[in-house]
Amino acid sequence: MRRGVLLLALLLSLPWVSAWNATFQFHPSPGQELDDILINYTSECSSWVFGTFDDGSLVQDFAFPVNGSGSVDLQDYLDMGVPSNSTLYLESNCELNVTVHPRYGIYMHPPEVRALSTEFRLVKIPFKKTGEGRFEIETPWKLVAVYLESHTIYDNGTYVSNLPLRVEVSWENQSVLKTPEGRGTYYWVDVSDWKPRGRVILKLSGRRAKYIDSAYGYALVPHREKRQWWLVYNYKEGYYFGDGRPWREILIKLEFLWKGEDFTLASFVTQEEEKLSLKVEDGRVCLEGPHLKKCGSRIPRGALKLTVGFQSGYLWVLGGGNVYFNEYTGTEAAALINLLWGIPKDDRYSVEIHAKDSSYWKPKKRMEIGLAEILGGSALVISLLALYLSRKH
């Protein structure tokens, strides 16, 4: 028995080995776009499927579990609406029978820019409850964060969220004892320093342990090609976007681990040539600019998948069904400059940028100031000339 356990641990510690893979190509007709792909599958065992979708300018990764027969709708995992030829690559360590069914629509997008820089994807994977205060998972991917959820806040008048809770995380003959952060209905455990994988076991202790109902983790799924599009530069301090034009619509998807440090989520230059910085200070999302500071709500620590959007002058930050910031900026278009400036490079995993409807620079305030100075100067000259003529006569 011990020999079998050691063999299983050895196999799980090895890199992901694909036993099955398949490639599918899609060719929209002129005036069409690929809006969705339905995948029907039948598996011979319980496993995970890792997929990559490449449309020529943007590469997106996803993963889903399989066990028996089922179907997956890719519009729930990917940004679709692709007018170009594209390729879908699937792989698994379990033999599969797969059929794909593309759905095409009418292409109506204006000129746009898509850019991507990614090495890993944050993928949410569930633990299995194997007893009171005990959860397990088997994963070939490294975990960076573990989450615990509870549906109980009060029990017989006791506010159980304040009760003590400890978590022992064990894997591959290693273990670490952690105190989870958070309160209320969920807690998170930072395991990014160890990145456990294989058979991972959670053992909960403390009076709060019996109220924990479920657990899940965020794993780092390697990006298949690990390529970086030329518009996005991944520096030590953060990401830099190389297209300096102002855009009327910008959509940014970010995946990273946040441990509580202050950082700049995104910085822009408006088409009036004024700088706007979307910062996180003490956990709160704030927009700073000339004579401007507006703050939204706080973001949670841990593994984050945030969306930053700019459209019609409004700037917003969304994540996990929550709105962390939503304010009107007063400008019609803005150029994106930096992203996640101040987050350590090892904690930044992916950035996707989609910009549409480019605009032009119009230093409106500078022109207005210049006009006022010209008019003021002209008035002074006229006044001096009138004084000179009156004295002459």
Side-chain angles (χ1 to χ4, degrees):
M1 178 66 181
R2 182 178 299 173
R3 183 180 301 172
V5 172
L6 291 175
L7 178 60
L8 176 61
L10 176 62
L11 290 174
L12 288 174
S13 66
L14 295 175
W16 171 270
V17 177
S18 174
W20 172 90
N21 63 76
T23 302
F24 305 91
Q25 295 186 339
F26 307 94
H27 306 280
S29 301
Q32 285 188 333
E33 66 179 15
L34 180 62
D35 288 338
D36 191 19
I37 302 173
L38 178 65
I39 300 177
N40 293 320
Y41 63 84
T42 301
S43 64
E44 298 180 359
C45 58
S46 177
S47 181
W48 288 82
V49 174
F50 174 62
T52 299
F53 182 73
D54 186 349
D55 65 10
S57 61
L58 183 64
V59 180
Q60 303 179 70
D61 297 322
F62 60 96
F64 58 89
V66 293
N67 187 8
S69 299
S71 62
V72 171
D73 198 339
L74 286 193
Q75 70 176 356
D76 296 332
Y77 291 80
L78 308 175
D79 288 332
M80 303 299 288
V82 178
S84 57
N85 295 335
S86 55
T87 301
L88 174 66
Y89 180 85
L90 302 175
E91 61 179 331
S92 175
N93 60 1
C94 179
E95 289 290 334
L96 298 176
N97 291 321
V98 169
T99 59
V100 298
H101 304 277
R103 181 169 63 84
Y104 296 99
I106 300 175
Y107 175 59
M108 301 179 64
H109 294 291
E112 58 194 87
V113 166
R114 292 177 181 240
L116 168 74
S117 177
T118 181
E119 184 174 2
F120 297 100
R121 295 289 190 177
L122 279 172
V123 177
K124 181 180 177 180
I125 53 178
F127 279 75
K128 180 180 180 181
K129 189 170 185 178
T130 56
E132 184 174 295
R134 183 185 174 97
F135 300 86
E136 296 185 25
I137 194 173
E138 292 185 0
T139 172
W141 304 306
K142 297 177 180 179
L143 293 169
V144 293
V146 172
Y147 286 82
L148 309 173
E149 290 185 326
S150 172
H151 303 302
T152 303
I153 298 179
Y154 288 94
D155 184 21
N156 293 328
T158 301
Y159 185 59
V160 300
S161 297
N162 287 336
L163 298 178
L165 178 63
R166 297 278 281 173
V167 180
E168 181 186 1
V169 185
S170 59
W171 73 101
E172 297 179 352
N173 298 322
Q174 301 182 63
S175 66
V176 59
L177 190 63
K178 299 281 289 184
T179 299
E181 297 185 25
R183 59 185 302 172
T185 58
Y186 87 101
Y187 303 82
W188 87 283
V189 181
D190 181 9
V191 293
S192 61
D193 289 340
W194 302 274
K195 296 182 175 63
R197 67 176 180 181
R199 187 185 181 201
V200 183
I201 301 174
L202 307 179
K203 296 179 182 178
L204 280 57
S205 60
R207 295 172 59 194
R208 184 77 171 96
K210 66 178 181 179
Y211 299 104
I212 300 299
D213 302 304
S214 60
Y216 62 90
Y218 273 98
L220 296 180
V221 177
H223 189 271
R224 181 166 165 256
E225 296 184 8
K226 296 184 180 179
R227 75 182 187 185
Q228 174 178 300
W229 217 59
W230 67 273
L231 280 177
V232 182
Y233 302 91
N234 190 2
Y235 294 128
K236 178 181 178 181
E237 299 84 358
Y239 295 112
Y240 175 78
F241 186 51
D243 188 309
R245 292 175 293 172
W247 298 86
R248 292 186 176 89
E249 295 184 32
I250 304 174
L251 187 67
I252 308 161
K253 295 187 177 182
L254 302 165
E255 299 184 17
F256 63 103
L257 186 71
W258 181 57
K259 301 178 181 179
E261 64 269 45
D262 291 348
F263 69 100
T264 299
L265 188 59
S267 61
F268 305 84
V269 175
T270 70
Q271 65 180 158
E272 293 82 23
E273 298 186 3
E274 293 183 346
K275 185 176 181 180
L276 295 177
S277 295
L278 195 60
K279 296 184 177 182
V280 175
E281 299 175 340
D282 295 326
R284 189 179 298 275
V285 181
C286 296
L287 180 65
E288 296 183 4
H291 315 294
L292 168 70
K293 185 168 184 178
K294 298 180 179 179
C295 292
S297 57
R298 297 181 184 276
I299 61 174
R301 297 188 185 191
L304 293 178
K305 303 176 79 168
L306 297 183
T307 299
V308 179
F310 174 86
Q311 186 178 21
S312 302
Y314 282 90
L315 184 64
W316 69 88
V317 180
L318 310 176
N322 300 306
V323 180
Y324 297 112
F325 187 85
N326 185 23
E327 290 287 349
Y328 182 66
T329 63
T331 184
E332 296 178 1
L336 176 62
I337 307 299
N338 296 322
L339 291 163
L340 297 185
W341 210 257
I343 294 292
K345 193 171 185 178
D346 290 342
D347 295 337
R348 302 193 309 264
Y349 309 127
S350 177
V351 57
E352 298 178 40
I353 302 170
H354 187 187
K356 300 195 302 183
D357 196 7
S358 63
S359 185
Y360 55 90
W361 297 104
K362 55 174 186 178
K364 180 179 178 181
K365 294 184 178 180
R366 185 184 301 172
M367 292 175 61
E368 289 177 349
I369 293 174
L371 181 61
E373 291 174 349
I374 292 173
L375 293 176
S378 299
L380 177 60
V381 171
I382 293 173
S383 298
L384 292 175
L385 180 60
L387 179 62
Y388 170 76
L389 294 175
S390 64
R391 287 183 177 180
K392 186 175 181 180
H393 293 288

mmCIF file of all heavy atoms in Angstrom, residues 114-132:
data_model
loop_
_atom_site.group_PDB
_atom_site.id
_atom_site.type_symbol
_atom_site.label_atom_id
_atom_site.label_comp_id
_atom_site.label_asym_id
_atom_site.label_seq_id
_atom_site.Cartn_x
_atom_site.Cartn_y
_atom_site.Cartn_z
ATOM 1 N N ARG A 114 -6.003 44.153 -30.580
ATOM 2 C CA ARG A 114 -6.000 43.146 -29.524
ATOM 3 C C ARG A 114 -4.552 42.811 -29.196
ATOM 4 O O ARG A 114 -3.747 42.643 -30.107
ATOM 5 C CB ARG A 114 -6.740 41.873 -29.960
ATOM 6 C CG ARG A 114 -8.247 42.048 -30.151
ATOM 7 C CD ARG A 114 -8.858 40.758 -30.649
ATOM 8 N NE ARG A 114 -10.284 40.894 -30.857
ATOM 9 C CZ ARG A 114 -11.208 40.178 -30.243
ATOM 10 N NH1 ARG A 114 -10.822 39.272 -29.362
ATOM 11 N NH2 ARG A 114 -12.481 40.347 -30.484
ATOM 12 N N ALA A 115 -4.242 42.729 -27.925
ATOM 13 C CA ALA A 115 -2.874 42.431 -27.504
ATOM 14 C C ALA A 115 -2.917 41.516 -26.291
ATOM 15 O O ALA A 115 -3.861 41.553 -25.502
ATOM 16 C CB ALA A 115 -2.114 43.711 -27.182
ATOM 17 N N LEU A 116 -1.884 40.713 -26.146
ATOM 18 C CA LEU A 116 -1.840 39.717 -25.092
ATOM 19 C C LEU A 116 -0.411 39.504 -24.618
ATOM 20 O O LEU A 116 0.522 39.487 -25.411
ATOM 21 C CB LEU A 116 -2.397 38.388 -25.617
ATOM 22 C CG LEU A 116 -2.176 37.140 -24.760
ATOM 23 C CD1 LEU A 116 -3.083 37.164 -23.543
ATOM 24 C CD2 LEU A 116 -2.429 35.885 -25.578
ATOM 25 N N SER A 117 -0.241 39.379 -23.312
ATOM 26 C CA SER A 117 1.028 38.934 -22.740
ATOM 27 C C SER A 117 0.685 38.013 -21.586
ATOM 28 O O SER A 117 0.068 38.440 -20.608
ATOM 29 C CB SER A 117 1.874 40.111 -22.253
ATOM 30 O OG SER A 117 3.058 39.638 -21.647
ATOM 31 N N THR A 118 1.028 36.754 -21.705
ATOM 32 C CA THR A 118 0.642 35.800 -20.677
ATOM 33 C C THR A 118 1.631 34.651 -20.603
ATOM 34 O O THR A 118 2.191 34.231 -21.606
ATOM 35 C CB THR A 118 -0.773 35.249 -20.936
ATOM 36 O OG1 THR A 118 -1.124 34.349 -19.900
ATOM 37 C CG2 THR A 118 -0.846 34.518 -22.260
ATOM 38 N N GLU A 119 1.859 34.173 -19.379
ATOM 39 C CA GLU A 119 2.642 32.965 -19.162
ATOM 40 C C GLU A 119 1.794 31.883 -18.522
ATOM 41 O O GLU A 119 1.939 30.708 -18.814
ATOM 42 C CB GLU A 119 3.855 33.256 -18.278
ATOM 43 C CG GLU A 119 4.767 32.066 -18.095
ATOM 44 C CD GLU A 119 6.031 32.406 -17.328
ATOM 45 O OE1 GLU A 119 6.174 33.565 -16.908
ATOM 46 O OE2 GLU A 119 6.865 31.495 -17.155
ATOM 47 N N PHE A 120 0.868 32.306 -17.646
ATOM 48 C CA PHE A 120 -0.036 31.366 -16.990
ATOM 49 C C PHE A 120 -1.448 31.928 -17.013
ATOM 50 O O PHE A 120 -1.661 33.128 -17.173
ATOM 51 C CB PHE A 120 0.372 31.131 -15.530
ATOM 52 C CG PHE A 120 1.724 30.506 -15.355
ATOM 53 C CD1 PHE A 120 2.822 31.297 -15.022
ATOM 54 C CD2 PHE A 120 1.902 29.150 -15.508
ATOM 55 C CE1 PHE A 120 4.071 30.731 -14.846
ATOM 56 C CE2 PHE A 120 3.153 28.578 -15.346
ATOM 57 C CZ PHE A 120 4.238 29.361 -15.015
ATOM 58 N N ARG A 121 -2.411 31.016 -16.819
ATOM 59 C CA ARG A 121 -3.802 31.392 -16.592
ATOM 60 C C ARG A 121 -4.194 30.954 -15.184
ATOM 61 O O ARG A 121 -3.798 29.887 -14.717
ATOM 62 C CB ARG A 121 -4.723 30.714 -17.606
ATOM 63 C CG ARG A 121 -4.496 31.153 -19.038
ATOM 64 C CD ARG A 121 -4.964 32.570 -19.264
ATOM 65 N NE ARG A 121 -4.959 32.903 -20.681
ATOM 66 C CZ ARG A 121 -5.372 34.044 -21.186
ATOM 67 N NH1 ARG A 121 -5.820 34.989 -20.387
ATOM 68 N NH2 ARG A 121 -5.316 34.274 -22.467
ATOM 69 N N LEU A 122 -4.974 31.792 -14.506
ATOM 70 C CA LEU A 122 -5.538 31.414 -13.219
ATOM 71 C C LEU A 122 -6.811 30.615 -13.466
ATOM 72 O O LEU A 122 -7.778 31.134 -14.029
ATOM 73 C CB LEU A 122 -5.860 32.658 -12.394
ATOM 74 C CG LEU A 122 -4.704 33.326 -11.654
ATOM 75 C CD1 LEU A 122 -5.163 34.646 -11.054
ATOM 76 C CD2 LEU A 122 -4.156 32.415 -10.566
ATOM 77 N N VAL A 123 -6.800 29.360 -13.045
ATOM 78 C CA VAL A 123 -7.945 28.482 -13.261
ATOM 79 C C VAL A 123 -8.477 28.028 -11.900
ATOM 80 O O VAL A 123 -7.718 27.518 -11.071
ATOM 81 C CB VAL A 123 -7.565 27.255 -14.120
ATOM 82 C CG1 VAL A 123 -8.758 26.318 -14.277
ATOM 83 C CG2 VAL A 123 -7.080 27.706 -15.492
ATOM 84 N N LYS A 124 -9.769 28.221 -11.706
ATOM 85 C CA LYS A 124 -10.415 27.830 -10.455
ATOM 86 C C LYS A 124 -10.729 26.334 -10.486
ATOM 87 O O LYS A 124 -11.381 25.852 -11.409
ATOM 88 C CB LYS A 124 -11.694 28.644 -10.253
ATOM 89 C CG LYS A 124 -12.449 28.340 -8.972
ATOM 90 C CD LYS A 124 -13.698 29.214 -8.894
ATOM 91 C CE LYS A 124 -14.515 28.894 -7.655
ATOM 92 N NZ LYS A 124 -15.734 29.744 -7.575
ATOM 93 N N ILE A 125 -10.250 25.569 -9.465
ATOM 94 C CA ILE A 125 -10.499 24.134 -9.405
ATOM 95 C C ILE A 125 -11.013 23.776 -8.014
ATOM 96 O O ILE A 125 -10.508 24.256 -7.001
ATOM 97 C CB ILE A 125 -9.234 23.323 -9.751
ATOM 98 C CG1 ILE A 125 -8.040 23.756 -8.903
ATOM 99 C CG2 ILE A 125 -8.884 23.472 -11.220
ATOM 100 C CD1 ILE A 125 -6.775 22.964 -9.164
ATOM 101 N N PRO A 126 -12.055 22.928 -7.927
ATOM 102 C CA PRO A 126 -12.673 22.631 -6.630
ATOM 103 C C PRO A 126 -11.971 21.499 -5.881
ATOM 104 O O PRO A 126 -11.446 20.556 -6.473
ATOM 105 C CB PRO A 126 -14.096 22.212 -7.028
ATOM 106 C CG PRO A 126 -13.929 21.600 -8.386
ATOM 107 C CD PRO A 126 -12.812 22.369 -9.060
ATOM 108 N N PHE A 127 -11.966 21.615 -4.562
ATOM 109 C CA PHE A 127 -11.540 20.531 -3.690
ATOM 110 C C PHE A 127 -12.738 19.625 -3.393
ATOM 111 O O PHE A 127 -13.890 20.055 -3.441
ATOM 112 C CB PHE A 127 -10.995 21.078 -2.366
ATOM 113 C CG PHE A 127 -9.576 21.555 -2.420
ATOM 114 C CD1 PHE A 127 -9.250 22.760 -3.034
ATOM 115 C CD2 PHE A 127 -8.563 20.810 -1.847
ATOM 116 C CE1 PHE A 127 -7.945 23.209 -3.078
ATOM 117 C CE2 PHE A 127 -7.250 21.246 -1.870
ATOM 118 C CZ PHE A 127 -6.938 22.449 -2.490
ATOM 119 N N LYS A 128 -12.457 18.395 -3.051
ATOM 120 C CA LYS A 128 -13.499 17.441 -2.643
ATOM 121 C C LYS A 128 -13.471 17.315 -1.127
ATOM 122 O O LYS A 128 -12.417 17.101 -0.530
ATOM 123 C CB LYS A 128 -13.266 16.078 -3.296
ATOM 124 C CG LYS A 128 -14.312 15.039 -2.929
ATOM 125 C CD LYS A 128 -14.026 13.712 -3.607
ATOM 126 C CE LYS A 128 -15.072 12.668 -3.231
ATOM 127 N NZ LYS A 128 -14.794 11.354 -3.877
ATOM 128 N N LYS A 129 -14.659 17.422 -0.507
ATOM 129 C CA LYS A 129 -14.750 17.279 0.943
ATOM 130 C C LYS A 129 -14.719 15.803 1.294
ATOM 131 O O LYS A 129 -15.567 15.020 0.848
ATOM 132 C CB LYS A 129 -16.029 17.927 1.471
ATOM 133 C CG LYS A 129 -16.086 18.012 2.990
ATOM 134 C CD LYS A 129 -17.246 18.866 3.471
ATOM 135 C CE LYS A 129 -17.207 19.027 4.987
ATOM 136 N NZ LYS A 129 -18.291 19.900 5.487
ATOM 137 N N THR A 130 -13.736 15.380 2.105
ATOM 138 C CA THR A 130 -13.569 13.975 2.459
ATOM 139 C C THR A 130 -13.836 13.716 3.936
ATOM 140 O O THR A 130 -13.603 12.607 4.416
ATOM 141 C CB THR A 130 -12.140 13.507 2.108
ATOM 142 O OG1 THR A 130 -11.188 14.346 2.773
ATOM 143 C CG2 THR A 130 -11.908 13.572 0.606
ATOM 144 N N GLY A 131 -14.307 14.707 4.633
ATOM 145 C CA GLY A 131 -14.623 14.568 6.052
ATOM 146 C C GLY A 131 -14.800 15.941 6.666
ATOM 147 O O GLY A 131 -14.582 16.967 5.999
ATOM 148 N N GLU A 132 -15.216 15.981 7.932
ATOM 149 C CA GLU A 132 -15.394 17.277 8.584
ATOM 150 C C GLU A 132 -14.045 17.957 8.753
ATOM 151 O O GLU A 132 -13.126 17.428 9.376
ATOM 152 C CB GLU A 132 -16.069 17.107 9.940
ATOM 153 C CG GLU A 132 -16.374 18.447 10.609
ATOM 154 C CD GLU A 132 -17.180 18.289 11.893
ATOM 155 O OE1 GLU A 132 -18.341 17.841 11.799
ATOM 156 O OE2 GLU A 132 -16.634 18.602 12.965
#
